[in-house]
Amino acid sequence: MARARSVYRCAECGHEHPKWAGRCEGCGAWNSISEEPVAVRPGGKGRARAGGGGGRGPAGESPIPGRLRDVAAEPLTRLRTGIAELDFVLGGGIVPGSMTLIGGEPGIGKSTLLLQAAARLETAGRTVLYASGEESPDQLRLRADRLEEDAGAVHVLGETRLEAIVEAARRVRADVVVLDSIQTVYTELLESAPGNVGQVRECSGQLMRFAKESGVAVIVVGHITKGGGIAGPKTLEHIVDTVLYFEGEATLDCRLLRATKNRFGSVDELGVFSMTDRGLSAVPNPSAMFLAARAEGTSGSAVTALMEGTRPVLVEVQALAARSGYGTPQRVATGLDPRRLAVLLAVLERRADTSFADLDVFVQVSAGVRLTEAGADLAVAAALLSSLHNRPAPADVIFLGEVGLGGEIRPTGGVERRVQEAARLGFRRMFGSARSALQVPGISLVGLNHIGQLVRALAA
Ligand code: TYD
Ligand code: MG
């Protein structure tokens, strides 16, 4: 019997219990009791996990399931990297014992971001091992010299053999291990070459087990090859706890970090960085950055406010309608679903007598942001109309509303927060559904019920 072999001790007062209980009989503390094996099992080390939610019986017996209510919920402690935007996207910091994958095209700044995070963690007293199969320690040193942070204390290792990396992590008692990149490591257990799907999968599995067993947080870099690559991070996404994507135009300075999977937080948050000559720096005011390049007084531009997770962000939508050279007119959408563009063009045509039939239409969104909310419809329609008539939309207006197939304009959720952000950046009017509830000082609502009203308002 499992009971005879374990004692259940309160961490607060040391009182022993014959079986697990949620509350200590000695001192009355909640969730303080954990199981301690009396007989040392072969290979068993330390104390069994707290919570008493089942456990393994004597060798050979199958595990005993426990009640979910008896499982003590351990509070998540997180390691803050000190890079606010990274911590924010992670949901508050790195969770010990977790495995995070960060994907992105070569040259986007993954190694830079992680070296900066490593430097800050070391400064905060955490031990970080940065193992790179991509670069030698002296190349890492060259990068480190450019950075704002002092990365001098970070433990570095130019190594591609997984077993050696794990051994090194144990030796330096790392809190966090960064592995750059998963495509360059191999395990001795397999004969295939690094980067091979089997290697990537086996190495990730081993790293995941290492993370869970040791409580070390593991962060791995994964390259996405332009052609879809042999062992892109897609294979890994199912294994790891958290998947981050780092994206942006390599030619522009703006970099966007988002989570596409997060067992410990939300997946909607967006982190915005700019690449400087001293590494990546967090952009505290993304809206201002996204609108910085906006040329006021130019036709084909409209501003909308998106909710990126919990934060409102203002972005510019640009459209260009141009006479088509020949054949079927083109429809090119960057940063929004081309089908959404097709729907809006059809609604404008049928419900507002505004035809783009013989025009090429191009729509894009500032700085690599994606429009996934229907609330951005009105801004896309406004940008299209503005370009069509070659009349700039008023500079102090933001557009916020969903366009239905009947041409009706519907309100969007979270209007207050979006509009407050707009007010902060100097916008004075919101074009939106007449049914929007708007009470934000400094901003007035121009209420619209139908897309036809937008056409007339922009033509006036
Ligand atoms: P890197 O982190 O090596 O990208 P990845 O690991 O995703 O392949 O970043 C490479 C680019 O960033 C490279 O073009 C140089 C540039 N960079 C800066 O502009 N400023 C800096 O301070 C650093 C370190 C890099
Ligand atoms: Mg790199």
Side-chain angles (χ1 to χ4, degrees):
M1 291 286 287
R3 219 190 257 184
R5 290 183 165 251
S6 297
V7 292
Y8 296 84
R9 196 185 304 281
C10 172
E12 301 288 329
C13 68
H15 188 88
E16 262 186 38
H17 301 72
K19 62 179 186 97
W20 189 84
R23 190 172 189 184
C24 175
E25 286 169 15
C27 65
W30 284 97
N31 294 335
S32 60
I33 299 169
S34 60
E35 183 184 5
E36 285 177 12
V38 170
V40 178
R41 278 177 272 130
K45 59 177 169 74
R47 304 188 320 174
R49 268 172 75 86
R56 222 167 250 285
E61 252 180 48
S62 36
I64 307 153
R67 302 261 189 206
L68 191 53
R69 63 168 175 263
D70 297 337
V71 178
E74 290 170 36
L76 276 184
T77 47
R78 295 178 187 261
L79 307 177
R80 294 197 172 273
T81 63
I83 299 179
E85 298 282 301
L86 175 61
D87 289 338
F88 176 63
V89 173
L90 284 168
I94 304 172
V95 175
S98 70
M99 184 164 167
T100 304
L101 170 69
I102 171 164
E105 287 179 8
I108 207 74
K110 303 179 292 297
S111 306
T112 306
L113 179 67
L114 293 177
L115 193 58
Q116 286 179 271
R120 287 182 183 231
L121 282 163
E122 282 280 0
T123 308
R126 308 289 182 177
T127 306
V128 186
L129 173 66
Y130 192 111
S132 182
E134 301 263 332
E135 287 144 316
S136 62
D138 39 307
Q139 284 170 312
L140 289 175
R141 177 67 204 263
L142 286 178
R143 173 181 289 112
D145 287 343
R146 296 181 64 175
L147 302 178
E148 182 84 42
E149 288 83 0
D150 175 12
V154 177
H155 296 74
V156 290
L157 190 65
E159 177 61 68
T160 55
R161 191 167 61 89
L162 185 67
E163 287 77 5
I165 295 169
V166 170
E167 178 54 34
R170 290 193 204 277
R171 193 171 306 149
V172 300
R173 297 174 180 276
D175 296 302
V176 179
V177 175
V178 176
L179 203 139
D180 189 0
S181 65
I182 192 72
Q183 278 93 355
T184 58
V185 290
Y186 71 97
T187 163
E188 291 167 340
L189 301 180
L190 301 180
E191 284 181 354
S192 50
N196 174 290
V197 181
Q199 280 286 5
V200 170
R201 199 177 293 144
E202 178 59 31
C203 289
S204 321
Q206 284 192 33
L207 281 166
M208 189 73 175
R209 282 192 292 280
F210 166 66
K212 297 287 170 254
E213 253 168 52
S214 61
V216 174
V218 175
I219 305 177
V220 295
V221 170
H223 290 297
I224 312 173
T225 51
K226 287 226 162 87
I230 5 154
K234 288 278 176 213
T235 332
L236 293 166
E237 291 184 1
H238 306 292
I239 302 177
V240 301
D241 296 306
T242 301
V243 180
L244 304 181
Y245 271 91
F246 206 30
E247 22 182 49
E249 287 291 319
T251 46
L252 294 176
D253 293 338
C254 178
R255 299 282 182 279
L256 306 180
L257 182 71
R258 44 177 112 233
T260 57
K261 168 178 177 179
N262 194 350
R263 288 198 179 130
F264 312 108
S266 151
V267 291
D268 302 319
E269 303 296 354
L270 176 74
V272 185
F273 294 89
S274 72
M275 181 61 99
T276 70
D277 54 357
R278 307 203 60 193
L280 289 154
S281 85
V283 175
N285 189 350
S287 301
M289 179 168 179
F290 294 149
L291 297 185
R294 190 164 69 116
E296 285 183 19
T298 307
S299 65
S301 160
V303 176
T304 190
L306 306 175
M307 287 305 287
E308 288 288 351
T310 50
R311 285 199 297 193
V313 175
L314 299 197
V315 294
E316 180 192 11
V317 182
Q318 284 191 304
L320 183 66
R323 196 161 303 286
S324 182
Y326 46 87
T328 318
Q330 298 190 65
R331 269 86 182 91
V332 182
T334 312
L336 78 158
D337 185 349
R339 287 168 300 184
R340 196 67 209 154
L341 174 60
V343 168
L344 291 171
L345 288 171
V347 171
L348 283 167
E349 165 115 35
R350 288 296 309 277
R351 307 291 180 188
D353 273 334
T354 308
S355 178
F356 290 82
D358 48 3
L359 299 174
D360 286 338
V361 173
F362 307 93
V363 177
Q364 65 183 31
V365 186
S366 55
V369 179
R370 279 187 242 116
L371 300 184
T372 49
E373 290 179 63
D377 286 352
L378 204 60
V380 177
L384 287 167
L385 290 166
S386 160
S387 174
L388 183 71
H389 300 304
N390 200 17
R391 264 170 178 269
D396 65 343
V397 168
I398 69 154
F399 297 87
L400 205 54
E402 182 183 342
V403 177
L405 292 186
E408 76 280 12
I409 293 167
R410 303 176 183 182
T412 327
V415 172
E416 297 270 312
R417 305 219 22 221
R418 302 176 200 236
V419 171
Q420 274 160 5
E421 172 78 356
R424 214 169 53 74
L425 284 149
F427 289 83
R428 292 289 160 257
R429 288 182 288 163
M430 169 186 143
F431 278 37
S433 163
R435 287 185 285 136
S436 305
L438 181 69
Q439 272 167 353
V440 175
I443 290 240
S444 60
L445 172 70
V446 179
L448 309 170
N449 289 310
H450 194 270
I451 191 83
Q453 290 171 298
L454 177 72
V455 175
R456 284 191 293 279
L458 291 180

